[in-house]
Amino acid sequence: RVASLPRSGSARESLGGLQSSADEPTDPASLVQSEMTAFAHAHKRMLNALIQRTPHLLSQAFEPLLRLRGVVNFNNKRTHFQTRMRKLSMRPGQRPSSLRLNIRRQHVLQDSYHQLHLRTPQEMRGRMAVTFTGEEGVDAGGVTREWYSVLMRSLLDVNFSLFESSTDGTYQPSPNSAVNPDHLSFLRFAGLVVGKALCDGHLLECHFTRSLMKHLLGLPVSLDDVERFDQDLHKNLLWSLKNSIEGVLDLNFTAETDYFGSTSVVDLKPGGADIQVTDDNKADYVNLVAAHKLTHAIKDQLAAFQGGFHDMVPMEELNIFDEGELELMLCGLPEIDVEDWRRNSEYSGGYSAASQQIVWFWEAVGEMCQEDLARLLQFCTATSRVPLGGFAQLRGVSGPQKFSIAKALGDDNRLPASHTCFHSIDLPVYSSKEILRERLMFAITEGTQGFGFS
């Protein structure tokens, strides 16, 4: 994943989208808007301090700041979202409703489904109280947290075939879920439960694929998202883009699907079986394979899951987040031990632990808050999760794969680039710690990704 700086060297974003310095506005209204945007980015630390003291500003005069990427920090966005969710749960002139569940622990999925799946979104936003049959205890929050944990494990159980696991242990709906005749209803219920957890601020113990986070936000997925789901497929697709395939690979515009050992072939475009993949059309082929894997092969399952999720959390309430922030909202900020991270890192390309840029890097990382550390971890490994056992347990394509930093060519204007498949960062030889910190922060908060497709 490569991040790139605007020509001005700072984020220049207007309310309607990115404002390129190559196409500066000329009309007075656009000039004022551009100047206000530049002001917001230049003074975002002060603005966030004001918002933290007076959160309702984001519902009033500061509301346009939510549409400027990289201005309002994650904590202030989260507080604003939670306030909006509380308002949604309140009916005018009425007390919040309540949900009482009586669940048999051995049948947590079936009991929860039958008691909740026909509830209206407004009913689902009520305060929940859970009792496990035959168990003592009053639910003051702990039993509900236990219910979420046990229920999500059941929903993700391979025996139900509702979800499939990626190579990095994250989940998305399974293309083979139809083995269960009621799979779409159960997937809608799963979306409802995840949306309920988000509304109520209950953190989930599981992580979902980055492409699923993007689908929930209505964002396009990319080739990078294939890497996070199926690293072998991503490696093969990337190789075909970088090398001539003519006379080497015999491919057409089809993809294989596997349904419990039974293989079938589907066209990636009309008449795909009769269209040969060449160097001229291979980019289109890669796009279509990736789109098939992440979207089209599970379009019905995605629609069901999204339907339940958006019943609880309307899309307009989510558009202040990116996919990384949504993951943090669902799973929480990890506790990241910077010293453990540094101890389990490697260097290449001319860098060593004693190189000045490496010393500056770890000093800058050590000064980050947990939110920025989580973003850095997402940037270089594609997830905010720290493996059980710490950074020594990071795993890559072929097994254990430590975090690494490689020396990159380029001057102070170049941004760091990440290779999430290998948990690595290409770090240019910056001339000062201040420039290194600025470029690193830009990369992890506002850096862009390429190769998008719809």
Side-chain angles (χ1 to χ4, degrees):
R1 177 170 56 179
V2 180
S4 59
L5 280 170
R7 293 185 185 179
S8 63
S10 62
R12 300 290 303 275
E13 193 171 7
S14 69
L15 295 181
L18 190 66
Q19 177 66 53
S20 168
S21 58
D23 185 25
E24 294 289 351
T26 55
D27 63 283
S30 296
L31 282 170
V32 170
Q33 182 173 277
S34 179
E35 290 171 0
M36 291 298 293
T37 298
F39 175 87
H41 280 285
H43 299 282
K44 61 184 179 182
R45 185 169 298 179
M46 177 193 69
L47 292 171
N48 277 294
L50 287 172
I51 294 167
Q52 186 174 356
R53 286 197 295 268
T54 315
H56 70 263
L57 286 172
L58 283 178
S59 298
Q60 298 174 357
F62 284 10
E63 188 272 338
L65 295 180
L66 290 167
R67 287 171 280 179
L68 298 180
R69 184 179 179 185
V71 173
V72 180
N73 67 31
F74 174 70
N75 285 333
N76 284 331
K77 286 183 183 180
R78 178 172 55 188
T79 299
H80 175 72
F81 175 82
Q82 289 168 342
T83 300
R84 294 286 301 165
M85 290 299 99
R86 283 194 295 271
K87 288 182 178 179
L88 274 180
S89 69
M90 300 288 290
R91 293 177 177 175
Q94 296 185 24
R95 297 178 62 184
S97 59
S98 61
L99 282 171
R100 297 189 177 277
L101 304 182
N102 290 291
I103 304 296
R104 295 170 297 169
R105 187 179 286 270
Q106 292 76 14
H107 303 280
V108 62
L109 177 53
Q110 293 85 348
D111 287 359
S112 301
Y113 172 79
H114 288 301
Q115 293 180 45
L116 291 177
H117 82 285
L118 294 179
R119 297 274 192 169
T120 67
Q122 194 62 36
E123 289 173 331
M124 283 291 295
R125 293 191 183 102
R127 187 180 183 281
M128 183 176 289
V130 179
T131 300
F132 283 108
T133 304
E135 300 181 20
E136 296 182 359
V138 177
D139 189 4
V143 182
T144 295
R145 286 193 295 272
E146 172 73 2
W147 173 78
Y148 273 114
S149 178
V150 176
L151 177 59
M152 290 308 302
R153 283 200 296 269
S154 294
L155 283 166
L156 300 174
D157 190 329
V158 294
N159 293 316
F160 286 107
S161 298
L162 294 175
F163 291 87
E164 63 178 341
S165 175
S166 70
T167 51
D168 67 354
T170 56
Y171 293 89
Q172 72 176 28
S174 169
N176 295 335
S177 63
V179 69
N180 179 343
D182 298 319
H183 67 122
L184 295 182
S185 182
F186 274 99
L187 282 165
R188 182 191 174 279
F189 170 69
L192 201 67
V193 170
V194 173
K196 170 70 173 169
L198 181 60
C199 286
D200 292 349
H202 281 286
L203 299 178
L204 301 176
E205 297 176 1
C206 59
H207 286 247
F208 296 101
T209 61
R210 187 58 60 89
S211 56
L212 180 56
M213 296 294 96
K214 286 186 173 183
H215 283 306
L216 293 177
L217 295 170
L219 300 175
V221 292
S222 72
L223 183 59
D224 282 341
D225 300 311
V226 176
E227 177 183 7
R228 294 155 188 164
F229 181 72
D230 187 333
Q231 293 175 350
D232 288 336
L233 175 61
H234 174 265
K235 184 168 61 175
N236 293 336
L237 293 175
L238 201 59
W239 186 92
S240 69
L241 287 176
K242 293 181 176 180
N243 299 276
S244 175
I245 64 170
E246 294 182 9
V248 179
L249 297 178
D250 184 17
L251 300 172
N252 53 29
F253 278 74
T254 62
E256 286 190 350
T257 63
D258 182 274
Y259 186 74
F260 299 105
S262 176
T263 302
S264 60
V265 177
V266 296
D267 285 347
L268 295 173
K269 59 166 57 178
D274 300 319
I275 303 174
Q276 193 76 13
V277 179
T278 66
D279 287 337
D280 291 333
N281 63 17
K282 64 185 180 183
D284 185 35
Y285 169 78
V286 167
N287 266 332
L288 290 172
V289 169
H292 172 78
K293 184 73 173 179
L294 300 177
T295 305
H296 302 319
I298 54 172
K299 61 180 176 30
D300 293 337
Q301 291 88 338
L302 280 174
F305 186 87
Q306 288 174 282
F309 184 82
H310 289 140
D311 277 349
M312 290 302 301
V313 190
M315 179 70 85
E316 59 268 21
E317 305 295 347
L318 291 167
N319 59 17
I320 63 174
F321 300 116
D322 62 29
E323 67 277 11
E325 290 170 331
L326 181 58
E327 180 188 11
L328 295 177
M329 288 289 291
L330 285 168
C331 306
L333 284 168
E335 287 295 325
I336 296 175
D337 184 338
V338 175
E339 181 57 25
D340 176 56
W341 195 348
R342 185 192 63 77
R343 268 196 318 268
N344 290 286
S345 296
E346 299 173 338
Y347 310 99
S348 63
Y351 276 150
S352 70
S355 299
Q356 185 63 73
Q357 286 72 26
I358 298 301
V359 173
W360 287 339
F361 175 87
W362 290 115
E363 288 177 355
V365 172
E367 294 162 3
M368 290 181 177
C369 64
Q370 284 294 319
E371 175 190 339
D372 290 335
L373 286 173
R375 282 188 169 277
L376 175 61
L377 186 58
Q378 287 177 330
F379 179 71
C380 59
T381 71
T383 178
S384 64
R385 289 190 306 162
V386 179
L388 187 64
F391 285 92
Q393 303 302 316
L394 279 176
R395 297 186 67 82
V397 178
S398 305
Q401 180 83 57
K402 286 189 175 183
F403 171 73
S404 64
I405 303 177
K407 182 182 286 188
L409 299 176
D411 56 20
D412 284 348
N413 290 318
R414 181 173 176 180
L415 289 176
S418 69
H419 306 277
T420 57
C421 189
F422 302 103
H423 309 320
S424 68
I425 286 182
D426 294 339
L427 186 71
V429 185
Y430 294 117
S431 60
S432 72
K433 176 182 172 181
E434 290 69 29
I435 292 174
L436 184 150
R437 181 194 293 111
E438 178 190 343
R439 297 298 185 258
L440 184 62
M441 289 301 299
F442 191 98
I444 67 175
T445 59
E446 301 180 59
T448 57
Q449 300 182 52
F451 221 95
F453 57 86
S454 59

